[in-house]
Amino acid sequence: MTEPTDGVLRPSDHADSAAPSDGGDDITQPRLGPVGWMRWGWRQLTSMRTALVLLLLLAIAAVPGSIVPQRSADPNGVTQYFTDNPDLAPVLDKLSMFDVYTSPWFSAIYILLFISLIGCVLPRTKHHWKALRSQPPRTPARLGRLDDHRDVTVTVPEGQDAAAVAAAAVESAAAQLKKSGYRVARYDGRGSFSVSAERGYLRETGNLVFHAALVGVLIAVGVGGGFTYTGQRVLVEGQAFANSLLDYSSFNPGRFVSGDTLTPYSMTLDKFDVNYVAPGQPGGGQAGDFVAHMTTQAPGGSPQDGDIRVNHPLDVQGDRVYLLGNGYAPTVTIRNAQGEEVFHDSVAFLPQDANMTSLGVIKVADGMPEQLGLIGFFYPTMNVLDSGALTSTYGALEYPVLTLRVYAGDLGIDDGTPRSVYTLDPSNMQQLAGGDSGTPALRLMPGETQDLPNGLGTITFDNAAPAGASGYDGSVKRFVSLSIHRDLAGPWVLAFALLALFGLLAALFVPRRRMWVKATPRGGTVHLEYAGLARGEDPTLAAAVDQMVEKHRGSLPAESASTDPSRPDTGKVD
Amino acid sequence: MPGPNSIFLDEISLLLVWTAVGVYVLAFIAYAIDLARRSDLALKAKDQVVARELVTAGGGGVLDTSAGAPASGPSFTDKPRYLWARMGTALTALAFLFHLAATVLRGLAAGRVPWSNMYEFALTGLLLIVMVYLISLTRYDLRFLGSFISGLAIVLLGGATLAYHVDVTPLADPLKSVWLVIHVFVAILATSLFALAFGLSVVQLLQTRRERKLIGAPVEAAGRRSFLRTLPSADALESLAYRFAIIGFIFWTFTLIAGAIWANDAWGRFWGFDTKEVWTFVIWVLYAGYIHARATRGWRGTRSAWLSIIGFSAVLFNFTIVNVFFKGLHAYSGLTQ
Ligand code: HEM
């Protein structure tokens, strides 16, 4: 017994809308003019069915991005995929399978979905706005036809007028409904008194807020992303960073970010700490409690201390600084045959495994007869495998060893081609030590110095620990890789997302219902009818009607109230 | 940090897990016997009434689901005395207690919340599924889902313990966050509600099929033996499935938002279409589709039930296959690759 849903405007194929008499709105009518066709198309686009199909398409379209590596999330995975599947990869690339979420087809789906959403929400908003200021509708003539209705017959006490009792009963019902948050209107006449009440406009408001907030999320992501930048930088203990384009090792600005308007500030990595679970314990060797102790300074301000931990970025002047990675940065000094220092630096070595076996490259461009390149392995706790190969068995500095292969020749850095500081291209170089060169690789512990092959000079693995330190603790510096972000989208996205959540709560759980109480005087009695009608999901309607009756009973002439026990609990099909 | 007794506590916890699984098996058997016996207990007459009503109603679908008690079939609030079902419930409650103790001990052994690797997700996840089921029983008679719930507990809890049990280890840094507590817990809670909605949707489909056959069928055919006769109508099942699903959907929406906040703290971006993020999103969209379907003429009923089933399949897929086999930042299954 569904009556047409007036009061709430829904797409024509909404389950609660009146079924169209011609048996479906997708029957193509013959001879539509261009305007007619456009109207028809728009109605299709903003129908529930289209929204539903687009939602399902969106879900399906999102899946490939979790199967095939994505350039945005996993660029190395994409490269690997091309190597592993040389035939398939180019085909997938043509289909934007490596950039699913920016692909034309994915975009088409969500843009259509959002057009549909706006086309759906705008007219409903207008309609709802009107509904919010209109009266609850006239009381239906036959309340008994509604599923949830109760009857009570009251005997009028001696000496009282039945009409007056009926009017008073309806008046008190109206007051009671108003107190429970209903909007009420009185409809008296034709020999009876009645009050019509409606509540739960918040349900539709919530629905509209929810859908509108989704648009907000999309816009915040799209526009806010343009004002966002991220940059990376590696800092060795003791090093400082100034927030300018030059000081970043990589920088990804949004469309509207200009590189020379970055907020000026500087920060220094004072010290990096990490704890290792001792071997033999559960999770032995596992590293944790990473913390980078920083000093930050705004121009004209005084230096401030701040820590960066995983999950706890540091806020500096509106930027957020994240700890992305860490590792060892052995300090190496190289002198040429004349004893002049040609290289002195702490070089970040990239960790290769959980025990911090680390790989790094040292490039000496000047001061030697030929350019010199060294590929180094650093083992914080060196051990020898059965195969004779070296390995690290623990992440902390228990027995730190640095081994180096030495190459001489052309580093390939003079022609301006950008080269990663972490890789060495030895194709134009001759190997002097390590590998098949006939000379063993250099092997050093902190504080040790050795001769370079061919009498080129010496190399020192500097001990970075302060004088008097015991063991190897602190003998090798640490580095951190930091990621620096300015994110203008985030707070807006969050605000809209929370708005959507609250809208959703209202849209799903606020019951929207109508209630009627009607009193008809009949000689010495007054016939009271109570009825409720759900507008949308409302599992508690029956209970609400019962409660209404129960509460109202108190305001009726007490000694003579008699309830009709025939509470119908099945839909009367009459 | 794991305390000195952690290995010992975890061993007791494991013992309790297996006890719980054993009792779940007994519960499953009791529930299965209950379903098998129900058709005998049901009154033939009742079905004939149902058949007549459905015929007069003109082919179903006209019955207003919002109208409190459905026009046909027993309702959720009737609680007939099915002996085996009662035993099943009692056994489930007992198994739940063992399960709860196992979970708490695991948490104590680890010195943190017991949901930070695959094994622990399964442990806590199934605990909540059973808990939500038991709580729901106080309001609705859902004991016909008992064999589904206990079956799920047996397969997933037993399977996860065999395949994924790992010793207690300290948390990796990225997991040290209040969001581990909130985000993951709410996700598990949502999953529990989706699981119940799933069970109801499956029964709804069976019931729809039976009701369709009933219409226009001779009365003898309507009297065919089936436990479905003792269950509420498809409409009522659908409404209840929907109720569980929307509460689940709210929690899932919150999971999505909380996950984004956490990702922003941990990785410096709130959304990056990482594998796990993709699947959380896909599930969210699927359930949004389900909610729409229920409000769309022509989709309400059977088709929306299928969406609820697909939605929960995606949840299970996300928990099992995606966690174990897919590459991504959320590589916290605790299993060594
Ligand atoms: C981004 C895409 C969309 C999402 C994620 C979405 C999600 C939702 C959700 C979760 C609900 C349930 C909450 C409620 O009842 O208010 C809902 C309801 C609704 N949506 Fe959407 N929606 C989307 C697009 C649309 C579009 C394009 C339309 C218009 C055709 C639409 C029309 C409706 C209507 C009419 C309801 C009320 C259903 C009812 O009466 O129960 N939605 N939507």
mmCIF file of all heavy atoms in Angstrom, chain A residues 160-195:
data_model
loop_
_atom_site.group_PDB
_atom_site.id
_atom_site.type_symbol
_atom_site.label_atom_id
_atom_site.label_comp_id
_atom_site.label_asym_id
_atom_site.label_seq_id
_atom_site.Cartn_x
_atom_site.Cartn_y
_atom_site.Cartn_z
ATOM 1 N N GLN A 160 -20.641 16.061 29.661
ATOM 2 C CA GLN A 160 -19.706 16.736 28.774
ATOM 3 C C GLN A 160 -20.139 16.575 27.332
ATOM 4 O O GLN A 160 -20.804 15.619 26.964
ATOM 5 C CB GLN A 160 -18.296 16.174 28.964
ATOM 6 C CG GLN A 160 -17.643 16.671 30.246
ATOM 7 C CD GLN A 160 -16.167 16.319 30.299
ATOM 8 O OE1 GLN A 160 -15.544 16.159 29.268
ATOM 9 N NE2 GLN A 160 -15.646 16.213 31.505
ATOM 10 N N ASP A 161 -19.675 17.504 26.546
ATOM 11 C CA ASP A 161 -20.047 17.491 25.147
ATOM 12 C C ASP A 161 -19.042 16.630 24.364
ATOM 13 O O ASP A 161 -17.822 16.818 24.469
ATOM 14 C CB ASP A 161 -20.026 18.941 24.645
ATOM 15 C CG ASP A 161 -20.308 18.991 23.149
ATOM 16 O OD1 ASP A 161 -20.997 18.079 22.654
ATOM 17 O OD2 ASP A 161 -19.813 19.931 22.496
ATOM 18 N N ALA A 162 -19.526 15.711 23.576
ATOM 19 C CA ALA A 162 -18.639 14.808 22.848
ATOM 20 C C ALA A 162 -17.700 15.580 21.926
ATOM 21 O O ALA A 162 -16.506 15.289 21.823
ATOM 22 C CB ALA A 162 -19.459 13.803 22.044
ATOM 23 N N ALA A 163 -18.248 16.582 21.261
ATOM 24 C CA ALA A 163 -17.414 17.366 20.339
ATOM 25 C C ALA A 163 -16.280 18.056 21.084
ATOM 26 O O ALA A 163 -15.126 18.097 20.614
ATOM 27 C CB ALA A 163 -18.257 18.390 19.605
ATOM 28 N N ALA A 164 -16.600 18.563 22.263
ATOM 29 C CA ALA A 164 -15.563 19.249 23.047
ATOM 30 C C ALA A 164 -14.482 18.267 23.474
ATOM 31 O O ALA A 164 -13.272 18.565 23.419
ATOM 32 C CB ALA A 164 -16.187 19.925 24.266
ATOM 33 N N VAL A 165 -14.880 17.071 23.880
ATOM 34 C CA VAL A 165 -13.902 16.054 24.283
ATOM 35 C C VAL A 165 -13.012 15.696 23.093
ATOM 36 O O VAL A 165 -11.785 15.597 23.199
ATOM 37 C CB VAL A 165 -14.626 14.791 24.830
ATOM 38 C CG1 VAL A 165 -13.626 13.657 25.034
ATOM 39 C CG2 VAL A 165 -15.320 15.115 26.144
ATOM 40 N N ALA A 166 -13.663 15.529 21.919
ATOM 41 C CA ALA A 166 -12.896 15.172 20.726
ATOM 42 C C ALA A 166 -11.893 16.271 20.394
ATOM 43 O O ALA A 166 -10.716 16.007 20.117
ATOM 44 C CB ALA A 166 -13.844 14.940 19.555
ATOM 45 N N ALA A 167 -12.363 17.516 20.440
ATOM 46 C CA ALA A 167 -11.469 18.639 20.113
ATOM 47 C C ALA A 167 -10.306 18.696 21.089
ATOM 48 O O ALA A 167 -9.142 18.894 20.692
ATOM 49 C CB ALA A 167 -12.260 19.954 20.132
ATOM 50 N N ALA A 168 -10.605 18.485 22.371
ATOM 51 C CA ALA A 168 -9.541 18.552 23.383
ATOM 52 C C ALA A 168 -8.531 17.419 23.169
ATOM 53 O O ALA A 168 -7.315 17.603 23.308
ATOM 54 C CB ALA A 168 -10.160 18.462 24.779
ATOM 55 N N ALA A 169 -9.069 16.237 22.813
ATOM 56 C CA ALA A 169 -8.170 15.094 22.597
ATOM 57 C C ALA A 169 -7.220 15.380 21.445
ATOM 58 O O ALA A 169 -6.012 15.108 21.521
ATOM 59 C CB ALA A 169 -8.983 13.840 22.316
ATOM 60 N N VAL A 170 -7.739 15.956 20.384
ATOM 61 C CA VAL A 170 -6.887 16.251 19.231
ATOM 62 C C VAL A 170 -5.894 17.362 19.580
ATOM 63 O O VAL A 170 -4.726 17.319 19.188
ATOM 64 C CB VAL A 170 -7.757 16.621 18.008
ATOM 65 C CG1 VAL A 170 -6.901 17.226 16.916
ATOM 66 C CG2 VAL A 170 -8.474 15.393 17.502
ATOM 67 N N GLU A 171 -6.388 18.307 20.368
ATOM 68 C CA GLU A 171 -5.497 19.396 20.760
ATOM 69 C C GLU A 171 -4.309 18.845 21.560
ATOM 70 O O GLU A 171 -3.149 19.205 21.324
ATOM 71 C CB GLU A 171 -6.298 20.411 21.607
ATOM 72 C CG GLU A 171 -5.604 21.750 21.804
ATOM 73 C CD GLU A 171 -5.121 22.355 20.475
ATOM 74 O OE1 GLU A 171 -5.929 22.394 19.516
ATOM 75 O OE2 GLU A 171 -3.939 22.750 20.383
ATOM 76 N N SER A 172 -4.601 17.954 22.492
ATOM 77 C CA SER A 172 -3.500 17.408 23.306
ATOM 78 C C SER A 172 -2.596 16.518 22.455
ATOM 79 O O SER A 172 -1.377 16.476 22.651
ATOM 80 C CB SER A 172 -4.044 16.645 24.515
ATOM 81 O OG SER A 172 -4.581 15.409 24.091
ATOM 82 N N ALA A 173 -3.198 15.810 21.472
ATOM 83 C CA ALA A 173 -2.367 14.992 20.580
ATOM 84 C C ALA A 173 -1.436 15.885 19.784
ATOM 85 O O ALA A 173 -0.242 15.571 19.601
ATOM 86 C CB ALA A 173 -3.251 14.175 19.644
ATOM 87 N N ALA A 174 -1.965 17.011 19.318
ATOM 88 C CA ALA A 174 -1.141 17.940 18.542
ATOM 89 C C ALA A 174 0.023 18.438 19.381
ATOM 90 O O ALA A 174 1.175 18.493 18.928
ATOM 91 C CB ALA A 174 -1.993 19.101 18.042
ATOM 92 N N ALA A 175 -0.283 18.785 20.631
ATOM 93 C CA ALA A 175 0.774 19.290 21.515
ATOM 94 C C ALA A 175 1.833 18.218 21.739
ATOM 95 O O ALA A 175 3.044 18.476 21.708
ATOM 96 C CB ALA A 175 0.155 19.729 22.847
ATOM 97 N N GLN A 176 1.324 16.995 21.929
ATOM 98 C CA GLN A 176 2.246 15.888 22.175
ATOM 99 C C GLN A 176 3.152 15.647 20.961
ATOM 100 O O GLN A 176 4.360 15.442 21.098
ATOM 101 C CB GLN A 176 1.412 14.646 22.484
ATOM 102 C CG GLN A 176 2.227 13.432 22.843
ATOM 103 C CD GLN A 176 1.312 12.228 23.034
ATOM 104 O OE1 GLN A 176 0.189 12.364 23.532
ATOM 105 N NE2 GLN A 176 1.782 11.074 22.637
ATOM 106 N N LEU A 177 2.574 15.663 19.773
ATOM 107 C CA LEU A 177 3.362 15.437 18.564
ATOM 108 C C LEU A 177 4.382 16.559 18.365
ATOM 109 O O LEU A 177 5.523 16.328 17.982
ATOM 110 C CB LEU A 177 2.434 15.359 17.343
ATOM 111 C CG LEU A 177 1.677 14.038 17.213
ATOM 112 C CD1 LEU A 177 0.519 14.178 16.237
ATOM 113 C CD2 LEU A 177 2.623 12.934 16.759
ATOM 114 N N LYS A 178 3.945 17.762 18.648
ATOM 115 C CA LYS A 178 4.836 18.908 18.472
ATOM 116 C C LYS A 178 6.037 18.753 19.393
ATOM 117 O O LYS A 178 7.173 19.032 18.993
ATOM 118 C CB LYS A 178 4.064 20.190 18.818
ATOM 119 C CG LYS A 178 4.619 21.401 18.110
ATOM 120 C CD LYS A 178 3.612 22.533 18.137
ATOM 121 C CE LYS A 178 4.020 23.601 17.143
ATOM 122 N NZ LYS A 178 2.986 24.621 17.008
ATOM 123 N N LYS A 179 5.737 18.279 20.591
ATOM 124 C CA LYS A 179 6.833 18.104 21.549
ATOM 125 C C LYS A 179 7.820 17.036 21.086
ATOM 126 O O LYS A 179 9.004 17.084 21.395
ATOM 127 C CB LYS A 179 6.266 17.727 22.933
ATOM 128 C CG LYS A 179 6.668 18.734 24.007
ATOM 129 C CD LYS A 179 6.007 18.441 25.335
ATOM 130 C CE LYS A 179 6.823 17.489 26.184
ATOM 131 N NZ LYS A 179 6.078 17.051 27.370
ATOM 132 N N SER A 180 7.338 16.050 20.331
ATOM 133 C CA SER A 180 8.247 15.002 19.837
ATOM 134 C C SER A 180 8.888 15.386 18.503
ATOM 135 O O SER A 180 9.390 14.516 17.813
ATOM 136 C CB SER A 180 7.503 13.674 19.665
ATOM 137 O OG SER A 180 6.404 13.584 20.491
ATOM 138 N N GLY A 181 8.795 16.657 18.170
ATOM 139 C CA GLY A 181 9.543 17.092 17.000
ATOM 140 C C GLY A 181 8.780 17.038 15.700
ATOM 141 O O GLY A 181 9.359 17.142 14.620
ATOM 142 N N TYR A 182 7.478 16.870 15.761
ATOM 143 C CA TYR A 182 6.685 16.857 14.537
ATOM 144 C C TYR A 182 6.249 18.273 14.184
ATOM 145 O O TYR A 182 6.043 19.108 15.069
ATOM 146 C CB TYR A 182 5.427 16.012 14.715
ATOM 147 C CG TYR A 182 5.667 14.520 14.674
ATOM 148 C CD1 TYR A 182 6.129 13.833 15.787
ATOM 149 C CD2 TYR A 182 5.411 13.803 13.517
ATOM 150 C CE1 TYR A 182 6.346 12.469 15.755
ATOM 151 C CE2 TYR A 182 5.614 12.433 13.474
ATOM 152 C CZ TYR A 182 6.076 11.777 14.596
ATOM 153 O OH TYR A 182 6.274 10.421 14.551
ATOM 154 N N ARG A 183 6.080 18.490 12.897
ATOM 155 C CA ARG A 183 5.416 19.705 12.447
ATOM 156 C C ARG A 183 3.941 19.341 12.324
ATOM 157 O O ARG A 183 3.606 18.308 11.750
ATOM 158 C CB ARG A 183 5.981 20.114 11.100
ATOM 159 C CG ARG A 183 5.401 21.389 10.589
ATOM 160 C CD ARG A 183 5.984 21.710 9.255
ATOM 161 N NE ARG A 183 7.449 21.727 9.327
ATOM 162 C CZ ARG A 183 8.217 21.828 8.252
ATOM 163 N NH1 ARG A 183 7.665 21.896 7.063
ATOM 164 N NH2 ARG A 183 9.519 21.862 8.360
ATOM 165 N N VAL A 184 3.062 20.156 12.893
ATOM 166 C CA VAL A 184 1.666 19.732 12.947
ATOM 167 C C VAL A 184 0.749 20.739 12.247
ATOM 168 O O VAL A 184 1.065 21.916 12.140
ATOM 169 C CB VAL A 184 1.170 19.560 14.401
ATOM 170 C CG1 VAL A 184 1.966 18.471 15.084
ATOM 171 C CG2 VAL A 184 1.244 20.861 15.153
ATOM 172 N N ALA A 185 -0.358 20.233 11.764
ATOM 173 C CA ALA A 185 -1.410 21.094 11.213
ATOM 174 C C ALA A 185 -2.752 20.479 11.577
ATOM 175 O O ALA A 185 -2.910 19.265 11.586
ATOM 176 C CB ALA A 185 -1.263 21.200 9.705
ATOM 177 N N ARG A 186 -3.704 21.353 11.926
ATOM 178 C CA ARG A 186 -5.032 20.863 12.301
ATOM 179 C C ARG A 186 -5.932 20.851 11.082
ATOM 180 O O ARG A 186 -5.934 21.779 10.283
ATOM 181 C CB ARG A 186 -5.645 21.791 13.361
ATOM 182 C CG ARG A 186 -5.015 21.668 14.732
ATOM 183 C CD ARG A 186 -5.463 20.378 15.404
ATOM 184 N NE ARG A 186 -6.901 20.318 15.563
ATOM 185 C CZ ARG A 186 -7.533 20.777 16.632
ATOM 186 N NH1 ARG A 186 -6.865 21.302 17.627
ATOM 187 N NH2 ARG A 186 -8.845 20.690 16.709
ATOM 188 N N TYR A 187 -6.653 19.773 10.919
ATOM 189 C CA TYR A 187 -7.652 19.721 9.853
ATOM 190 C C TYR A 187 -8.960 19.263 10.475
ATOM 191 O O TYR A 187 -9.174 18.071 10.683
ATOM 192 C CB TYR A 187 -7.215 18.757 8.751
ATOM 193 C CG TYR A 187 -6.015 19.242 7.965
ATOM 194 C CD1 TYR A 187 -4.744 18.732 8.209
ATOM 195 C CD2 TYR A 187 -6.173 20.201 6.971
ATOM 196 C CE1 TYR A 187 -3.659 19.174 7.497
ATOM 197 C CE2 TYR A 187 -5.087 20.656 6.246
ATOM 198 C CZ TYR A 187 -3.828 20.136 6.504
ATOM 199 O OH TYR A 187 -2.749 20.578 5.806
ATOM 200 N N ASP A 188 -9.810 20.223 10.822
ATOM 201 C CA ASP A 188 -11.088 19.861 11.409
ATOM 202 C C ASP A 188 -12.167 20.005 10.337
ATOM 203 O O ASP A 188 -11.998 20.737 9.367
ATOM 204 C CB ASP A 188 -11.434 20.786 12.586
ATOM 205 C CG ASP A 188 -10.375 20.660 13.676
ATOM 206 O OD1 ASP A 188 -9.626 19.653 13.647
ATOM 207 O OD2 ASP A 188 -10.280 21.558 14.515
ATOM 208 N N GLY A 189 -13.259 19.313 10.552
ATOM 209 C CA GLY A 189 -14.382 19.477 9.640
ATOM 210 C C GLY A 189 -15.014 18.156 9.309
ATOM 211 O O GLY A 189 -14.496 17.091 9.662
ATOM 212 N N ARG A 190 -16.104 18.208 8.656
ATOM 213 C CA ARG A 190 -16.897 17.040 8.279
ATOM 214 C C ARG A 190 -17.113 16.115 9.461
ATOM 215 O O ARG A 190 -16.898 14.909 9.399
ATOM 216 C CB ARG A 190 -16.215 16.275 7.143
ATOM 217 C CG ARG A 190 -16.460 17.006 5.824
ATOM 218 C CD ARG A 190 -16.474 16.030 4.654
ATOM 219 N NE ARG A 190 -15.366 16.280 3.765
ATOM 220 C CZ ARG A 190 -14.600 15.323 3.223
ATOM 221 N NH1 ARG A 190 -14.822 14.069 3.499
ATOM 222 N NH2 ARG A 190 -13.637 15.648 2.418
ATOM 223 N N GLY A 191 -17.445 16.749 10.563
ATOM 224 C CA GLY A 191 -17.840 15.969 11.732
ATOM 225 C C GLY A 191 -16.696 15.326 12.479
ATOM 226 O O GLY A 191 -16.902 14.469 13.316
ATOM 227 N N SER A 192 -15.468 15.692 12.190
ATOM 228 C CA SER A 192 -14.373 15.123 12.977
ATOM 229 C C SER A 192 -13.277 16.161 13.154
ATOM 230 O O SER A 192 -13.228 17.176 12.456
ATOM 231 C CB SER A 192 -13.833 13.864 12.303
ATOM 232 O OG SER A 192 -13.245 14.225 11.090
ATOM 233 N N PHE A 193 -12.414 15.863 14.100
ATOM 234 C CA PHE A 193 -11.264 16.725 14.382
ATOM 235 C C PHE A 193 -10.017 15.918 14.095
ATOM 236 O O PHE A 193 -9.967 14.731 14.402
ATOM 237 C CB PHE A 193 -11.280 17.160 15.847
ATOM 238 C CG PHE A 193 -12.530 17.863 16.240
ATOM 239 C CD1 PHE A 193 -13.648 17.131 16.611
ATOM 240 C CD2 PHE A 193 -12.588 19.245 16.225
ATOM 241 C CE1 PHE A 193 -14.823 17.778 16.965
ATOM 242 C CE2 PHE A 193 -13.763 19.896 16.583
ATOM 243 C CZ PHE A 193 -14.892 19.171 16.954
ATOM 244 N N SER A 194 -9.025 16.534 13.525
ATOM 245 C CA SER A 194 -7.811 15.756 13.300
ATOM 246 C C SER A 194 -6.576 16.641 13.289
ATOM 247 O O SER A 194 -6.645 17.864 13.078
ATOM 248 C CB SER A 194 -7.899 14.990 11.979
ATOM 249 O OG SER A 194 -7.731 15.885 10.901
ATOM 250 N N VAL A 195 -5.468 15.985 13.565
ATOM 251 C CA VAL A 195 -4.185 16.661 13.454
ATOM 252 C C VAL A 195 -3.319 15.820 12.514
ATOM 253 O O VAL A 195 -3.312 14.599 12.572
ATOM 254 C CB VAL A 195 -3.509 16.868 14.830
ATOM 255 C CG1 VAL A 195 -3.377 15.551 15.568
ATOM 256 C CG2 VAL A 195 -2.135 17.503 14.663
#
